[in-house]
Amino acid sequence: KMIKHFTRKKYGRRANTNRIMCRTYATETLGKIQKASLAYEKVNNIAKKLTQSAGYLDTSALDEKYQKSTNPFNVITHDLDKLNDNIKILVQNSHPVLEKIANYYFDLGGKRTRPAIMFFMARALSLQLTKTENITEDQYKLAEIVEMIHTASLVHDDVIDNADTRRGVTSVNLQFGNKISILGGDYLLAKASISLASIENFEVTKLMSQVIADLVEGEFMQLNAANESALDFDYYMNKTYLKTATLIANGCKSIAVLANATDEIIDNAYDYGLHVGLAFQVSS
């Protein structure tokens, strides 16, 4: 279905008459789709490399209730429960409207996939490197920063896309207007930057600052994509990295940096986040 769809978009009615042209493009497209599917396989392979580079994962250190549980999120339930409360404290402001905008999407909950990945990475590295499940204060801050950057990008995206709803409720731009919503998104980024500075780690600051630049570039790619470039698979994957995967990849890498992991583990953590991020966006 994808091959048929892209072929007709590229060649229009000619696709029905020129079989050679149709077959050639279909073959090229199929090859690109097969390459994309490798992202899922790479997630598993890199996860194995991550475990091997950090040493054998000794599950005896895990709490017994976690070993019996079939839901992996039970391991980080407490971490996720206090995430929103901590963020609300971070975005407190004397201006009630600004604070209300900043909290608008946090009050809705959501899957919190990105901070969950950060918590899982932090616990996995701690278990393998120190035989404990401890998440450091800086790693916890990093998970909050990742969620704040992501939420700020949602606010800006809804303004750009003139969205009507988000997570089943009226979008922030319709609720408060475009100008105030943009200021709310900027405020979230500013608060995330202040929290990032408090970690006092140059490498992590550089990584997460790059994420913000990538998100802007990715949005420009989406806005400025011509019809031909929009159908180019490499263009799509690059845009997907900039809009989605960069936050997860550099977030995972930052977690590993804060764990004082080896260069090999840090690189594997980045690769893991990269391919999880790409697969997450491609599948959604």
Side-chain angles (χ1 to χ4, degrees):
K1 287 183 179 179
M2 288 180 68
I3 293 171
K4 187 176 182 181
H5 170 74
F6 282 123
T7 304
R8 286 184 175 176
K9 269 201 168 185
K10 187 174 180 71
Y11 296 112
R13 293 182 179 180
R14 287 183 297 159
N16 295 324
T17 57
N18 193 330
R19 293 185 179 180
I20 296 177
M21 185 188 300
C22 187
R23 286 175 182 172
T24 300
Y25 187 69
T27 302
E28 292 174 355
T29 305
L30 181 59
K32 290 177 179 179
I33 292 172
Q34 289 172 337
K35 287 180 181 178
S37 68
L38 292 176
Y40 292 93
E41 295 179 20
K42 286 182 178 179
V43 168
N44 289 328
N45 292 335
I46 294 168
K48 292 177 182 177
K49 285 173 61 180
L50 190 61
T51 301
Q52 292 168 356
S53 61
Y56 176 69
L57 182 60
D58 183 8
T59 57
S60 63
L62 287 171
D63 188 303
E64 184 178 358
K65 66 180 179 180
Y66 295 155
Q67 294 184 39
K68 292 181 179 179
S69 173
T70 57
N71 182 0
F73 280 87
N74 287 343
V75 178
I76 58 169
T77 297
H78 175 69
D79 301 319
L80 290 175
D81 285 344
K82 71 176 187 177
L83 180 80
N84 273 14
D85 293 336
N86 284 7
I87 290 177
K88 287 181 180 180
I89 294 173
L90 285 173
V91 300
Q92 283 179 349
N93 188 276
S94 58
H95 197 297
V97 176
L98 187 56
E99 185 173 340
K100 189 173 182 180
I101 295 171
N103 282 311
Y104 189 69
Y105 284 150
F106 292 123
D107 288 337
L108 300 178
K111 299 184 290 294
R112 296 174 293 184
T113 302
R114 290 156 186 82
I117 293 173
M118 300 304 113
F119 289 141
F120 280 130
M121 179 63 72
R123 285 186 177 273
L125 291 175
S126 177
L127 185 62
Q128 296 184 36
L129 297 175
T130 68
K131 307 304 179 185
T132 69
E133 288 186 80
N134 297 332
I135 297 177
T136 68
E137 181 181 351
D138 286 341
Q139 287 176 324
Y140 201 95
K141 280 185 182 179
L142 197 284
E144 295 169 352
I145 291 164
V146 165
E147 183 67 357
M148 290 170 71
I149 292 174
H150 169 60
T151 303
S153 73
L154 295 183
V155 174
H156 288 156
D157 282 354
D158 284 350
V159 172
I160 293 170
D161 298 337
N162 196 27
D164 296 325
T165 60
R166 168 73 67 176
R167 296 173 180 170
V169 301
T170 303
S171 60
V172 68
N173 51 300
L174 284 187
Q175 186 75 14
F176 300 99
N178 285 342
K179 292 181 180 179
I180 295 178
S181 296
I182 291 171
L183 290 175
D186 292 345
Y187 178 69
L188 283 176
L189 288 176
K191 282 294 188 178
S193 298
I194 291 171
S195 184
L196 180 61
S198 71
I199 294 177
E200 297 184 346
N201 185 297
F202 174 75
E203 181 65 19
V204 171
T205 300
K206 186 169 65 173
L207 289 169
M208 299 310 296
S209 298
Q210 183 62 52
V211 168
I212 298 175
D214 287 345
L215 289 172
V216 176
E217 185 179 348
E219 190 60 44
F220 264 95
M221 286 184 69
Q222 181 161 304
L223 288 173
N224 298 328
N227 290 334
E228 194 70 20
S229 61
L231 293 175
D232 182 82
F233 192 79
D234 293 333
Y235 187 94
Y236 167 76
M237 292 301 287
N238 187 31
K239 176 175 66 69
T240 298
Y241 169 77
L242 293 171
K243 284 181 62 67
T244 302
T246 181
L247 181 58
I248 299 176
N250 285 297
C252 285
K253 184 173 183 177
S254 296
I255 289 289
V257 169
L258 294 172
N260 295 317
T262 65
D263 290 343
E264 182 184 5
I265 295 175
I266 291 172
D267 290 342
N268 286 335
Y270 174 85
D271 287 343
Y272 179 80
L274 167 66
H275 293 291
V276 168
L278 291 175
F280 177 76
Q281 182 61 30
V282 169
S283 63
S284 61

